[in-house]
Every structure is written in C-alpha cells, then in structure tokens.
Amino acid sequence: MFSSSSAGRAAASSREGTDPGPRGDDWVGLSADVLPVDAMSRWATTPDAGAVVTFSGTVRDHAPGRTEVTSLTYEAWDDVAVRRLHSVVDEVRARWPEVRRVAAVHRVGQLEVGETAVVVVVSAAHRGPAFEAAAHAIDRLKETVPLWKKEAWS
C-alpha cells in the first residue's frame, strides 16, 4: 500500500538509515542502505543452532496485473514500524521458544528490480522450528508493519 501524503511519515530518501544492527539475539530495524543478507545469516549462526533459515524478499519486474515494474519506493512511520517489527520477533519467540536468533529488517527508499527489500533470518537447533518461525515472521511482518510501497513502471 502507498499513500501519496508523507505527512507523519519519514521521508525515505532523506533517512540516514535506522537499522540499529544486532542487539543481543535480535536484529530488528529499517534501513535506507543495502541489507547485509550474508552478514545477517552469519550473525544468526551460533554453535547451538543446527538450522539457519534466511528469507530475502527482492524487487521483481512485475506486479499483479502489471508488467515492466522498474523500481519500488518504500516509506514507513519509523517508530511504529520498528515497534511492530519487535512485536513480530516477540511473537516468534513466544511460539517457538527454541529459536536462537531472529532478524527482521526492511529497506526504505527507492529500490531497483533485483534489490533486497526485506530480510528475515531465524536460527534454531532444528530445521522444523526455524522454517516455521521464519515463515510466520515474514507473514506477520507483511500483515502488521506499516510500510507504503509505490511502484514505478517503464
């Protein structure tokens, strides 16, 4: 969803980046910078975690009913979005207490086709809980985090 009014929302193009990096066993935030997918996966790898699931959502060249998408621009209410990202991680930890580390970070600003827009990483001792928790995290992020997306076409 996208609203043409940016009153009350951070202007993504002027944001320096609000990704705080990892804090303990959580890595939650928004970032105007390229998301460090590999670094996030390495961070989630711990001696007691036998499974690390990484989901990387990328900008594709089409949307429902529309071809030739050239870019997406994401905007967010920073404070609310980050609080909701933390809530998603809290849900994951409540449902899957065996989860070791969780990352949920979304890009803001203009992204070209092929760029990573969102990353969710979950580590756990076993693959079942890691896959389930990662799927839950990305689904809840998309359902609950207030992000606005504007598509550009050629």
Side-chain angles (χ1 to χ4, degrees):
M1 79 174 87
F2 179 81
S3 168
S4 60
S5 168
S6 59
R9 278 186 269 134
S13 60
S14 65
R15 182 185 292 109
E16 293 294 318
T18 57
D19 175 10
R23 297 284 189 257
D25 290 331
D26 298 341
W27 188 337
V28 175
L30 301 172
S31 179
D33 299 322
V34 172
L35 299 181
V37 180
D38 291 339
M40 294 169 78
S41 294
R42 282 192 307 274
W43 164 83
T45 303
T46 62
D48 57 342
V52 176
V53 173
T54 301
F55 172 82
S56 173
T58 59
V59 176
R60 62 181 181 259
D61 66 357
H62 64 280
R66 195 79 195 214
T67 58
E68 300 179 14
V69 172
T70 57
S71 67
L72 299 178
T73 300
Y74 288 97
E75 293 183 0
W77 272 308
D78 289 4
D79 293 343
V80 176
V82 170
R83 278 197 310 270
R84 296 267 175 88
L85 287 166
H86 280 287
S87 293
V88 168
V89 171
D90 292 344
E91 282 182 34
V92 165
R93 292 196 174 285
R95 285 184 68 173
W96 293 274
E98 63 272 37
V99 161
R100 181 69 180 95
R101 288 189 169 170
V102 182
V105 181
H106 205 291
R107 280 282 300 274
V108 289
Q110 185 172 328
L111 285 73
E112 303 301 318
V113 170
E115 287 190 81
T116 300
V118 60
V119 176
V120 168
V121 183
V122 176
S123 63
H126 302 284
R127 71 181 176 271
F131 273 111
E132 292 167 10
H136 178 82
I138 189 60
D139 289 345
R140 292 296 290 155
L141 185 157
K142 291 186 67 69
E143 293 167 1
T144 66
V145 178
L147 293 158
W148 291 265
K149 174 175 70 174
K150 179 180 179 184
E151 297 171 345
W153 310 280
S154 59

